[in-house]
Structure formats: structure tokens, C-alpha cells
Amino acid sequence: MITVNGKTRDHANGLDLPALLGEAGVDLGARGIAVAVNGTVVPRARWAERAVADGDAIEIVKVLQGG
Amino acid sequence: MAEDLFRIAGKAFTSRLFLGTAGYPNQQVFLDSLAASGAQVVTVSIRRVDMEGGAEGILDLVRDRAWLLPNTAGCATVKDAVLTAQLAREALDTNWIKLELIGDRETLYPDVEQLVTAAAQLVDDGFAVLPYCTDDPIVCRRLADVGCAAVMPLGSPIGTGLGILNPYNIEMICSRSTVPVILDAGVGTASDAALAMELGCDAVLLNTAVSKSTDPVRMAAAMGHAVAGGRLARLAGRIPKRTRAEASSPELGLIGG
């Protein structure tokens, strides 16, 4: 099991961040997206090499309106 | 008159108004408000991607129009605020962060103990930290001492429009601060923003007062004028207050005298 934005889910072996982002509907080329795994930011340049492992907690965020 | 630049964290701005991007009737009203306000800095938030998808266009709207100041709005722990700041830095390629650490969701008051801790961590991590804080001169001093780029005391609780509840504290903070003071939260109308500047604030950050007004574009223009006018009045130096009248017209040569 992994946790993505606070929700637990199953994951297939070999899942990596780009695939997960794709599943989440994130355009990999879009600006203003950031990802953290287990409380540490994974820079965009390293998304492709970051495999997702059992127990990982992943946060995928974007920029929204704010005050 | 010489150009009166507002300098903060290595940047210089001609406008002293920071504008929030939330709660406008639609994107065009926001864009027109931004233009009317003259603001050169806008705030944005960082939120989980909606797993259903659905792209938001705020970043594309503002990135060529203003300097972006991401916030940690809604964070209630040091850990969440620090990670949100780090995610904002990655998402926006900026080391600026408006640090919000909320003590409870009803008052939205800053938790100052956690705020100072988080500010110190973020400064050590290379951020230009702009903390939203209480109107407490000691808290402001501690935030400056840990290396914040500015302090942002509240005028009154977020979204209330009650204006500056304690102008004496705001003036005291301004007179003692070693870093820029930006009044953040509570502005309801133009006179509140002007008062902040007259009390000595370096800038004003507001959102709801414009976005939820009846005519946001007109209110945005009013805020731009108010901040500029208040700044000029501060620089000009107001007259001392007196308790007795003093005639302004010459007292000699009155007819019938």
C-alpha cells in the first residue's frame, strides 16, 4: 500500500513517480507542480528515477489562488 | 520627488501593495483588479492536486504580471508548514514564503511559538521568510532576530475587515523593527490601508477587502491610491494632534475689528 495525498491505495511493482503523476491526471510538463515522498521534496529532474516503494507517503501539490 | 522604492529580500518594488489572488468573482475580474491596484506582488497557495484532475490557471495568469509570494495558509504544525514551503519553492522556483502557522481554525490566529521555530528552520534552509504574525512587538522582534526578511503583523483577524484594531501596537512595531513591516490581514476598506502606511508600515497585504467588495476593480484602485497616499503622508510628516483649535487663516485684518 502507498498513500497519495492522504489516501491509501494499492500499487503495482515498478510504479514510478511519472506513472503515478500520470494516473493522477497531472501533465508532466505543467508548471507549478511539486512532489514530496515521505516528507522530502523530490525535484522534478529526479521524478523519473524515483521508484515508488511499499509504504511510501506521497504528496502531489499545485499552485492555487491564495491570500 | 525621488523614486520611493520598497526593498525586500533583494528585490525592489515601486508599489507597496501586495494583493491576494483568492475569492474573485472570476479570472477577468481578478486580472482587472490586479492591474487597477498596481500591485507587483501577489500571494498564492499550495494545495494537493485534485485526484480527479482539473488544471487551475492561476499560475499562468500571474507569472508574467507579478512577483509570486506562495503561502503556507492553513498549516497548523511546523512540519506541515516547512514541507509546504519546500514544495512551494520547488513548484515556483522561488525562495520567498509567506509563513502562516495557524493556532486554530476558528480565529485563524498565528501560533507564535511554532511560528518562530518554523521561521528559524526556513531561514536556515535558505528561504526569504515573511511571517504572518500577531501585532506583538516582542514576537516581531524575535522573528526578525531569527532572520526573517520582513514581519507581517495582523491588523485584525483574517477576512474580518475590522481594520487595525491596535494602531498603537502597529506603530510601535514599525518604530522598533529592523526589517520591513507589512500589515497583513484585517483591512476592510481604503482608509485602513492608508492608516497602516501612516503608522509607518512599509507595505500592506490584502485580499478579501478587494475580492469580496461589490466592485473589486474599483476597490483595487482605491487600495492602490490609499497605500500610495498613506505612504506620502508618512513621509511628509503629519502635524501633531492638539486638543484646542488653532486658526489657520490670518487673525489680523478681520473686518469689523
Side-chain angles (χ1 to χ4, degrees):
Chain A
M1 298 288 280
I2 59 174
T3 306
V4 181
N5 284 355
K7 291 178 185 163
T8 56
R9 50 158 283 178
D10 293 324
H11 75 290
N13 285 333
L15 183 69
D16 58 17
L17 278 182
L20 185 66
L21 288 162
E23 283 183 27
V26 174
D27 174 359
L28 292 179
R31 296 168 183 271
I33 301 289
V35 179
V37 179
N38 302 330
T40 302
V41 173
V42 180
R44 179 179 291 253
R46 296 201 194 126
W47 286 354
E49 66 197 50
R50 183 63 166 83
V52 175
D54 196 46
D56 278 350
I58 296 150
E59 295 284 350
I60 308 169
V61 300
K62 63 182 176 182
V63 178
L64 275 185
Q65 294 88 342
Chain B
M1 281 186 289
E3 195 169 31
D4 175 34
L5 293 175
F6 173 42
R7 296 181 191 279
I8 176 172
K11 294 279 291 179
F13 303 100
T14 53
S15 166
R16 290 169 179 270
L17 176 59
F18 290 14
L19 189 64
T21 58
Y24 294 81
N26 59 57
Q27 288 187 343
Q28 192 58 51
V29 171
F30 162 66
L31 285 178
D32 292 346
S33 298
L34 176 60
S37 74
Q40 294 165 325
V41 179
V42 298
T43 53
V44 292
S45 65
I46 302 296
R47 288 290 180 269
R48 284 173 167 168
V49 168
D50 178 355
M51 301 307 284
E52 304 298 313
E56 296 286 339
I58 186 67
L59 185 55
D60 289 332
L61 280 183
V62 296
R63 43 188 276 268
D64 295 327
R65 291 182 167 89
W67 182 258
L68 295 181
L69 175 58
N71 68 33
T72 65
C75 289
T77 65
V78 172
K79 185 177 164 218
D80 286 351
V82 167
L83 181 56
T84 299
Q86 292 167 337
L87 286 163
R89 178 168 62 183
E90 165 70 11
L92 291 168
D93 197 25
T94 179
N95 70 334
W96 284 40
I97 192 73
K98 170 181 166 176
L99 180 62
E100 267 189 64
L101 236 158
I102 299 304
D104 77 49
R105 296 197 183 281
E106 186 180 350
T107 65
L108 299 179
Y109 250 61
D111 179 330
V112 295
E113 185 180 2
Q114 294 202 87
L115 185 67
V116 174
T117 302
Q121 284 185 25
L122 290 169
V123 168
D124 285 345
D125 194 17
F127 282 89
V129 180
L130 290 75
Y132 163 65
C133 58
T134 46
D135 57 352
D136 176 337
I138 306 306
V139 168
C140 287
R141 189 186 73 203
R142 293 199 58 197
L143 289 165
D145 286 347
V146 300
C148 289
V151 291
M152 303 209 295
L154 55 81
S156 50
I158 293 171
T160 60
L162 290 172
I164 299 176
L165 294 181
N166 195 335
Y168 306 100
N169 271 26
I170 295 296
E171 187 164 43
M172 193 189 310
I173 289 164
C174 294
S175 69
R176 293 160 50 104
S177 185
T178 56
V179 296
V181 178
I182 302 168
L183 187 92
D184 182 7
V187 168
T189 188
S191 52
D192 300 329
L195 176 60
M197 298 307 294
E198 289 170 0
L199 293 171
C201 291
D202 296 282
V204 174
L205 195 166
L206 56 88
N207 187 153
T208 311
V210 167
S211 66
K212 297 298 188 190
S213 67
T214 304
D215 184 343
V217 180
R218 189 169 286 180
M219 185 61 86
M223 292 300 184
H225 287 297
V227 167
R231 173 67 178 173
L232 280 174
R234 173 72 184 185
L235 294 176
R238 62 153 297 150
I239 61 166
K241 290 183 180 178
R242 302 167 52 94
T243 56
R244 300 284 175 91
E246 184 182 56
S248 50
S249 299
E251 295 185 53
L252 292 173
L254 277 168
I255 64 165

